[in-house]
Amino acid sequence: MPVVWAALAILCVICLLNLVLTVAVIRRLREHTELINRRSGQSSGQDEITLPAGARVGDFRVVTGDDRVVTRADLRQGMLVAFFSPRCPACEEHKPAFIRYASGLPGGRDDVIAVLLGSPEELGALREELSGVAQIVTEADVDGEMSTAFGLRGYPGFCLMGQDGVLAAAGFRADVLSESAVL
């Protein structure tokens, strides 16, 4: 009979240890979830992905897929500049809202620039999908001319232009565009 009591005591200790470890893991997962939500802008910091609204875009000179030269001087009020990467799940998520918004701009694709970040091989489908609504600029990474001028630190990035190369609205979610339209 003492063997049964000893086995039962050991089993209770193991169950208590398991419970303590489970509670610790749950607490840690909550901390990670909070950090992820904060980083992805679900709490605040909508404009952290690019220069903030009110900042002036840096100088740049790029050539679009249509062989048009674009500089900061070409950015007009109401123009939309967006940054996408084919390796970005959030880009895929916000792409339909971007396409809807860009399709409704009065100037058509002349008022929209989509900067695609990645290698030429991986950009093919994305370029084809967005070329109907936007002028396409390709850059290898966030150290390209437009990415640097806009202070891009990740993607997707959506920027609505104000006057004189100043950002009227900026964020990593496409809803920043519809929120700006209301203002």
Side-chain angles (χ1 to χ4, degrees):
M1 199 57 127
V3 172
V4 173
W5 287 109
L8 189 58
I10 291 172
L11 183 61
C12 285
V13 169
I14 290 173
C15 286
L16 280 173
L17 181 63
N18 185 33
L19 182 62
V20 168
L21 290 174
T22 300
V23 168
V25 167
I26 290 171
R27 183 175 294 140
R28 188 73 172 151
L29 283 172
R30 284 184 180 157
E31 290 173 8
H32 279 259
T33 300
E34 185 178 319
L35 288 171
I36 289 169
N37 287 343
R38 212 176 305 141
R39 178 63 187 134
S40 62
Q42 293 178 4
S43 48
S44 66
Q46 172 76 335
D47 57 358
E48 293 177 3
I49 203 80
T50 65
L51 295 172
R56 187 175 175 141
V57 174
D59 289 325
F60 66 89
R61 184 182 188 283
V62 295
V63 179
T64 68
D66 301 334
D67 291 325
R68 293 174 61 184
V69 174
V70 178
T71 66
R72 181 179 66 194
D74 297 312
L75 300 177
R76 300 176 304 279
Q77 184 169 356
M79 270 185 94
L80 172 59
V81 179
F83 297 86
F84 290 98
S85 171
R87 299 175 295 236
C88 165
C91 294
E92 194 64 35
E93 178 185 336
H94 292 283
K95 188 171 41 173
F98 164 77
I99 291 172
R100 276 192 308 276
Y101 186 86
S103 297
L105 288 175
R109 69 187 295 272
D110 287 338
D111 280 347
V112 184
I113 297 174
V115 182
L116 309 183
L117 297 114
S119 69
E121 299 81 36
E122 56 188 356
L123 294 178
L126 187 58
R127 180 185 303 113
E128 188 174 315
E129 191 173 2
L130 297 180
S131 64
V133 296
Q135 302 171 67
I136 304 296
V137 172
T138 59
E139 295 184 343
D141 207 343
V142 294
D143 60 353
E145 283 197 50
M146 280 195 78
S147 297
T148 301
F150 279 80
L152 187 70
R153 291 182 284 281
Y155 24 79
F158 301 99
C159 301
L160 198 57
M161 297 306 303
Q163 293 180 338
D164 302 321
V166 173
L167 295 175
F172 75 94
R173 297 170 55 132
D175 59 7
V176 75
L177 304 172
S178 56
E179 290 170 4
S180 308
V182 173
L183 298 175

